[in-house]
Structures are given as C-alpha cells and as structure tokens.
Amino acid sequence: MTQELLLVVDIQNDFMPGGALAVPEGDAIVPLVNRLAARFPHVVLTQDWHPKGHFSFASSHPGRRPFETIAAAYGPHVLWPDHCVQGTPGAEFHRDLAIPHAELVIRKGYNAGVDSYSAFREADGRPTGLAGYLRERGVTHIVVAGLALDFCVAWSTCDAAAAGFAVTVVEDVCRAIDTGGSLAAARADMAAAGVKLVRSDALPGKR
Ligand code: VGL
Ligand code: ZN
C-alpha cells in the first residue's frame, strides 16, 4: 500500500524577500504550502539550522563573496550570505506557516564544517536519519514543496529517490534561487533521478 507524506522544505524567514538569503517570491508560496499541507494527513518540515561561522557562509572564507563557488573536501560548494543561524529570527519559520499537524521537524546543516541542502544526507554523505524514520513509518511516496527548488528541494528529492522512495515535487509550491545555472542543473538532476514534477491541481486525488 502506498503511504504518502508531504515534506515541506525550509519555509524560514531568511529565505523570504528581505531575508538574508532571499528567494524571489518565497513568501508567495506560504499560503499555498498551508493549503497543500491541509490535504495531507502526514507532514514533515525541514529547517535549515546553521551554527554561527558555518562553512557554507562566505563570511567564513576571507576574501570570498556570497554566490561564489569554492572547492570543498566533498566537491564544489556555493558560498552564501550568513543565514538561518541557530536561534535567530531568520531561522524561524515564517509566521504565517500554519501546519499544526506536522509530525516532525528535521533540522539540517548543524555541523559547522559540512552543508546539508538535503534533508536526507549531509554534503559529505552522512545520513540525517530521515530515510530510516520514514521507512519505519511505512512511508513509500514523498511529496515535496518549499524553498529553494534548485537547492534544498532538489537535493532532498534526489536523495529520497536514491533511498527508494517515490518522489513528486509540487512545482508551483516551490520557488528557486537560480544562481549560476543552478535551476537548470537541478531540473536535470531531478529528471535523471526519476523525480516527478507536477502542479498542485494535478496531484492525483488531492483536489
Ligand atoms: C538553501 C542555500 C543554503 C535552501 C539552504 O533552503 O535551498 N539554500 N541553505
Ligand atoms: Zn543553508
């Protein structure tokens, strides 16, 4: 039997217009996420959650600027403005996010030296435990929405597919950063991983 779950990615203040790492129109999806989540009995939220001085911040690399790419031990890595620092207002969920029935909040990116776009694996490959949690819960199909389509959403979906879950992205309930060709690359990666992209009005049985 198929057991569906909605994964809502990083609906946090720093990813909203005016935030430290603003995603264009990031705030526009908040009501859409709420509406989508109301149709799912099972929901998990992710929260980007970095310590001060995190490796992914340009400010941790003298002479480097946000949106430049550096070589990390585990491969190329985009540098970001400081964002989603643990315990700060920017790391909090948007105040209009209303998913009281969400069952789990999985925080990621808390290791100072490693980023974790994916809710499933840190950039160096270490699992977060989410795949095990979902398997134990009997989840087979993960539906994903949130921010940003070309980073945390894309990486999470590719890892979910690799872990054996069926994965669907609700494209109109996502927004992208789109830096240095990241959106096109993410689309190609998701297609190669077998991730399905749909619009919310086309979700089967979910009108
Ligand atoms: C994200 C860049 C850095 C995201 C998080 O949520 O997509 N992007 N940290
Ligand atoms: Zn981050």
Side-chain angles (χ1 to χ4, degrees):
M1 219 193 79
T2 311
Q3 169 78 46
E4 273 188 353
L5 177 139
L6 178 68
L7 182 68
V8 173
V9 177
D10 296 1
I11 307 295
Q12 293 167 260
N13 292 328
D14 273 341
F15 297 124
M16 300 297 157
L21 177 38
V23 181
E25 294 181 9
D27 54 341
I29 67 166
V30 177
L32 309 180
V33 167
N34 290 340
R35 210 173 308 149
L36 184 64
R39 305 162 169 181
F40 282 80
H42 303 292
V43 183
V44 168
L45 311 178
T46 74
Q47 191 171 25
D48 212 39
W49 196 249
H50 301 306
K52 256 187 256 167
H54 190 252
F55 172 81
S56 75
F57 299 167
S59 63
S60 305
H61 304 266
R64 298 297 189 146
R65 292 168 165 273
F67 305 102
E68 286 180 11
T69 300
I70 57 158
Y74 48 79
H77 195 286
V78 181
L79 294 175
W80 304 110
D82 291 21
H83 67 279
C84 297
V85 174
Q86 296 169 359
T88 64
E92 285 168 19
F93 291 119
H94 189 288
R95 65 181 143 80
D96 296 333
L97 187 70
I99 315 180
H101 63 294
E103 293 161 348
L104 173 75
V105 176
I106 185 137
R107 289 173 164 171
K108 58 185 179 58
Y110 47 73
N111 283 317
V114 189
D115 209 356
S116 189
Y117 298 146
S118 167
F120 292 88
R121 284 183 177 285
E122 301 193 79
D124 64 359
R126 268 182 297 182
T128 62
L130 182 58
Y133 169 87
L134 295 172
R135 271 190 212 114
E136 281 202 279
R137 299 275 320 278
V139 172
T140 55
H141 180 200
I142 304 171
V143 179
V144 188
L147 304 172
L149 176 60
D150 43 346
F151 289 94
C152 290
V153 170
W155 289 50
S156 294
T157 60
C158 291
D159 285 345
F165 298 99
V167 188
T168 304
V169 175
V170 188
E171 206 179 345
D172 53 315
V173 190
C174 296
R175 289 295 184 275
I177 296 172
D178 201 8
T179 177
S182 57
L183 183 55
R187 284 186 188 286
D189 291 345
M190 288 190 283
V195 172
K196 260 181 64 176
L197 274 75
V198 302
R199 296 192 54 84
S200 46
D201 57 9
L203 272 179
K206 284 269 168 357
R207 274 166 189 279

